[in-house]
Amino acid sequence: MESIIQIDQLTKRFPVGAGEFTALKDIRLEFQKGEFTGFVGPSGSGKTTLLNIIGSLDTPTEGEVTVLGQSIAHLTHKQSAKLRNQHLGFIFQTYNLFPVYTVYENVEFALLLQHMPAAERHKAVLDALEWVGLTDKIKSRPDQLSGGEGQRVAIARAMVKRPAIMLADEPTANLDSKNSHHILQTMVRLNQELKTTFLFATHDEKVMGYLRRIISLEDGRVVKDEALAPQGQAGA
Amino acid sequence: MLAIKLAFKNILGAGFRTILNISVLSFAFVVIIFYNGVLEGWNQQARRDTIEWEIGQGQLWHPDYDPLDFFSYQDAHAPLPEAVQAEVAAGQLTPILLTQASAFPQGRMQGVILKGIDPKQPILKIPTALLADQDGQTPALIGKRMAHAIKAKEGDQLLVRWRDKNGTFDALEVTISGIFDSNVPTIDAGQIWLPLERLQQMLSMPGEATYLVAREGFVPANAAPWVFKGQDFLLADLDTIIQSKKGASGIMYGLLLIIALLAIFDTQVLSIFRRQKEIGTYIALGMTRWQVVGIFTVEGATYSILAILLGALYGTPLLWYLAKVGWAMPSASQDMGISIAEKIYPVFGFGLILGTILLVVLSATVVSFLPARKIAKINPTDALKGKIQ
């Protein structure tokens, strides 16, 4: 197996008033390519903070986080933007689609940043939308989509550039059970067919059913790290 | 290109706020062009009229002559040097003699300047042909302002009194042979034009002049001690007046522009606050912070592009119509002592339009950039949570 993320003695503190709040404390983890892993734990346990640091949206206070061979703490703004643009995909709880763009344009956006030629870009966008089953909605705007459709567009936008790692922060929190399973099954397909590594921050039982590794966090510390046979996939 | 594309989509998606910003800015754009066009039209008209009616291609002054010092008139006269006489004979110069005098309209006494000019001169637009001999009477030309001031009309007799070269008082009744209508008050108010030879005779100054007006193509040669004054010198006062008017109107349309720019600034501040998640998402998808600053800055600049297009849409026919029919000046403007026509025809030059476009685009870009700079310091995780205050 190929190790693509290494976290060594990671600590993250945030200033709060005159003092500091420790969001993550002495985290040591390693992730292999193709993992389907979730950080679980109650609110404030540090799930999203850990995901943000891996996604180079934030930096460690102490310790070392290496993603695809690049040390997050030592990246410039430009280098971290390049890392995100070329190798990382983000899926958010509230989808974060651009409201004035169509479904097609939302998905196309990441490729525009890569300066991909138009014909190649067009094909990639249609492929991505076909993956998530939304080719009939390419001209719709986000406000014309259901919650499930919106999140599928967000997945298409994240996967259109074929990232090595997908970071999903509570991707099913705003979805009903049926849509949640649909979304998760799409992610599993992506993981299996494209070998994309998935890291989730979640406390949704439905998501946990699909995970092959669960890392439990509590007060910023890893309290459990277990590999398991995912029930959701088996049942899907 | 990406920033421009995104900017267009975002501001078109902003709906009513965009319409409001664009409308106000386009109004400022049209008003700036209109005011400057009027001033440019006035400038061109005033320069043209002053050249045609008063200064020609320049003037050759007696060394003691100072048009702003009436006391200089008494000594500012001399026979013309031979070289100058040749130019006069060739029609390249026309001599003018002037003196202080008093007129007595309706029994009142009023200080005037008597100006002698050759009735056959072809250089100035003053209708001097009306000063041709009239059966032993002394013909006099006055302008409409003077006619209004002394309540005189064509054919009226007017008593004038003057002192000749030797200081002797003399008086004479002149006949108003014509009243001319000129936009140049400095050849009109308080002035009576007489035939040059007649005035020379009245003043006992045969062959003398105070200054000479040059025709187009005149090449100033050494005529010392007479001094040649070119158009730049003679139009300097007019230029100063117009520049001061431009400055004053600049304050007005500057305020208008500031209001329009404040609207854009306000929209940008609000936009950055409301679109925090969008900003965070841009960064998460791989944009650098400065690329996001670029999007927001270009958005503000795009308002100005759309405002210019909108302004062109309604401003072009409106300004074209005004340039065609002119803009009537209030009647009081005729007595302001500066060259101003009853109607000014605005001139909208390429430079004016291009300059205004640049002003609007640059100022809109700057006021968009100022609040957008904040994005460069944004923590993307805070932006994604909508936590920025």
Side-chain angles (χ1 to χ4, degrees):
Chain A
M1 291 291 277
E2 183 187 345
S3 171
I4 57 172
I5 302 168
Q6 299 90 36
I7 301 173
D8 187 26
Q9 292 183 295
L10 166 65
T11 296
K12 179 68 184 179
R13 285 187 286 268
F14 294 106
V16 178
E20 279 184 330
F21 167 72
T22 303
L24 294 171
K25 179 74 180 163
D26 198 24
I27 306 285
R28 294 160 195 254
L29 292 166
E30 189 169 356
F31 300 92
Q32 312 300 321
K33 187 179 178 187
E35 280 199 27
F36 204 78
T37 299
F39 302 116
V40 301
S43 293
S45 58
K47 308 185 294 287
T48 300
T49 303
L50 184 53
L51 218 55
N52 285 337
I53 293 173
I54 294 169
S56 80
L57 290 172
D58 211 342
T59 50
T61 309
E62 287 167 20
E64 186 74 28
V65 176
T66 308
V67 176
L68 299 167
Q70 300 187 60
S71 166
I72 296 298
H74 298 103
L75 294 177
T76 62
H77 284 316
K78 208 169 177 178
Q79 287 168 332
S80 65
K82 192 175 174 188
L83 175 69
R84 287 192 296 271
N85 182 234
Q86 294 185 342
H87 303 295
L88 304 178
F90 288 85
I91 299 166
F92 304 100
Q93 177 180 342
T94 50
Y95 328 140
N96 291 23
L97 299 177
F98 302 124
V100 296
Y101 307 156
T102 61
V103 164
Y104 182 93
E105 290 162 343
N106 263 285
V107 177
E108 185 188 29
F109 185 85
L111 302 181
L112 286 171
L113 292 178
Q114 292 183 346
H115 307 290
M116 185 182 278
E120 204 178 319
R121 202 168 64 224
H122 181 70
K123 187 178 176 305
V125 173
L126 292 183
D127 280 353
L129 287 170
E130 201 174 329
W131 254 92
V132 296
L134 282 175
T135 45
D136 56 332
K137 300 277 184 184
I138 58 172
K139 288 183 179 167
S140 303
R141 291 191 186 277
D143 59 2
Q144 296 168 317
L145 303 173
S146 68
E149 287 170 338
Q151 193 60 297
R152 277 148 67 195
V153 175
I155 294 172
R157 182 178 65 184
M159 63 81 69
V160 70
K161 57 189 179 185
R162 303 294 164 102
I165 302 163
M166 288 275 244
L167 304 166
D169 189 3
E170 305 281 9
T172 54
N174 286 4
L175 300 176
D176 58 27
S177 177
K178 188 182 164 193
N179 272 312
S180 294
H181 284 295
H182 191 173
I183 292 295
L184 287 162
Q185 282 158 13
T186 305
M187 292 177 173
V188 168
R189 269 180 61 214
L190 274 169
N191 171 252
Q192 291 177 344
E193 294 183 27
L194 303 179
K195 303 292 173 218
T196 309
T197 304
F198 273 80
L199 298 181
F200 294 83
T202 185
H203 54 303
D204 184 344
E205 295 289 338
K206 293 188 291 294
V207 178
M208 290 180 211
Y210 286 82
L211 298 174
R212 293 200 296 272
R213 180 182 174 192
I214 293 179
I215 297 166
S216 302
L217 295 171
E218 214 173 282
D219 298 329
R221 292 172 187 272
V222 175
V223 292
K224 197 156 77 176
D225 183 352
E226 55 182 337
L228 61 161
Q231 297 157 10
Q233 283 181 74
Chain B
M1 276 310 288
L2 175 63
I4 293 169
K5 192 178 167 187
L6 295 177
F8 262 103
K9 281 193 169 297
N10 280 324
I11 70 171
L12 291 177
F16 186 68
R17 205 169 56 237
T18 299
I19 293 169
L20 205 65
N21 283 339
I22 289 172
S23 303
V24 176
L25 192 57
S26 80
F27 180 65
F29 172 65
V30 172
V31 167
I32 291 170
I33 291 184
F34 171 70
Y35 263 95
N36 280 298
V38 168
L39 287 171
E40 184 55 29
W42 175 27
N43 183 25
Q44 289 190 12
Q45 164 264 315
R47 290 178 77 91
R48 191 173 54 241
D49 286 349
T50 305
I51 290 167
E52 288 176 355
W53 286 83
E54 186 180 19
I55 65 169
Q57 297 304 305
Q59 293 180 344
L60 194 61
W61 286 8
H62 182 279
D64 294 336
Y65 175 54
D66 177 357
L68 300 177
D69 178 8
F70 288 172
F71 294 110
S72 75
Y73 295 2
Q74 194 175 338
D75 300 319
H77 56 84
L80 303 179
E82 265 182 37
V84 174
Q85 283 181 30
E87 294 283 6
V88 173
Q92 290 298 301
L93 290 169
T94 190
I96 290 171
L97 177 64
L98 56 86
T99 188
Q100 278 189 289
S102 301
F104 297 87
Q106 288 99 38
R108 293 179 288 113
M109 187 175 83
Q110 183 173 339
V112 294
I113 306 291
L114 297 180
K115 283 187 168 176
I117 188 168
D118 180 2
K120 291 177 187 162
Q121 65 79 27
I123 298 173
L124 298 178
K125 267 180 96 173
I126 300 168
T128 49
L130 296 170
L131 293 173
D133 274 350
Q134 292 184 354
D135 302 330
Q137 291 184 330
T138 301
L141 260 181
I142 57 173
K144 63 180 178 183
R145 294 172 189 79
M146 179 67 170
H148 178 73
I150 63 174
K151 296 184 173 58
K153 57 185 186 301
E154 239 179 270
D156 282 358
Q157 302 277 312
L158 179 65
L159 181 66
V160 291
R161 190 186 66 171
W162 70 94
R163 289 170 73 174
D164 69 11
K165 187 180 184 178
N166 305 310
T168 310
F169 279 103
D170 202 350
L172 172 76
E173 274 201 324
V174 297
T175 304
I176 306 296
S177 59
I179 296 171
F180 61 83
D181 185 357
S182 167
N183 295 322
V184 185
T186 44
I187 58 158
D188 176 346
Q191 299 181 31
I192 298 172
W193 292 83
L194 300 173
L196 178 63
E197 280 187 21
R198 185 78 184 94
L199 186 61
Q200 287 171 336
Q201 198 180 26
M202 286 158 62
L203 299 175
S204 306
M205 298 177 190
E208 295 192 23
T210 305
Y211 67 91
L212 299 100
V213 180
R215 189 177 197 165
E216 196 171 349
F218 171 74
V219 181
N222 186 15
W226 293 64
V227 190
F228 185 77
K229 303 287 185 185
Q231 283 183 342
D232 288 345
F233 174 84
L234 296 167
L235 291 168
D237 288 347
L238 181 66
D239 289 342
T240 306
I241 290 168
I242 287 173
Q243 282 308 319
S244 72
K245 287 281 171 196
K246 276 187 178 172
S249 64
I251 292 171
M252 201 207 72
Y253 67 67
L255 284 173
L256 193 63
L257 187 62
I258 286 170
I259 291 169
L261 294 176
L262 269 178
I264 293 179
F265 184 85
D266 192 42
T267 301
Q268 288 291 89
V269 172
L270 189 68
S271 188
I272 290 165
F273 182 74
R274 287 175 56 170
R275 291 162 61 190
Q276 291 179 38
K277 279 195 176 180
E278 186 182 328
I279 291 167
T281 309
Y282 282 136
I283 295 170
L285 290 180
M287 284 187 120
T288 63
R289 288 167 174 81
W290 281 107
Q291 277 179 310
V292 184
V293 170
I295 286 181
F296 278 77
T297 305
V298 171
E299 258 184 60
T302 308
Y303 279 119
S304 65
I305 307 274
L306 292 177
I308 287 162
L309 292 176
L310 179 67
L313 198 69
Y314 67 80
T316 304
L318 181 72
L319 298 181
W320 177 84
Y321 175 76
L322 280 168
K324 200 88 177 158
V325 301
W327 197 36
M329 292 286 103
S331 56
S333 64
Q334 293 293 307
D335 302 321
M336 282 162 60
I338 49 177
S339 178
I340 188 162
E342 287 170 3
K343 252 186 186 182
I344 286 179
Y345 293 88
V347 175
F348 306 111
F350 177 73
L352 167 64
I353 293 168
L354 187 69
T356 313
I357 287 173
L358 286 176
L359 173 72
V360 170
V361 172
L362 284 177
S363 52
T365 306
V366 169
V367 297
S368 305
F369 174 71
L370 293 177
R373 277 182 316 168
K374 190 180 172 187
I375 295 169
K377 294 173 188 165
I378 277 180
N379 180 341
T381 56
D382 286 343
L384 284 166
K385 290 175 194 160
K387 270 185 166 179
I388 298 161
Q389 295 301 310

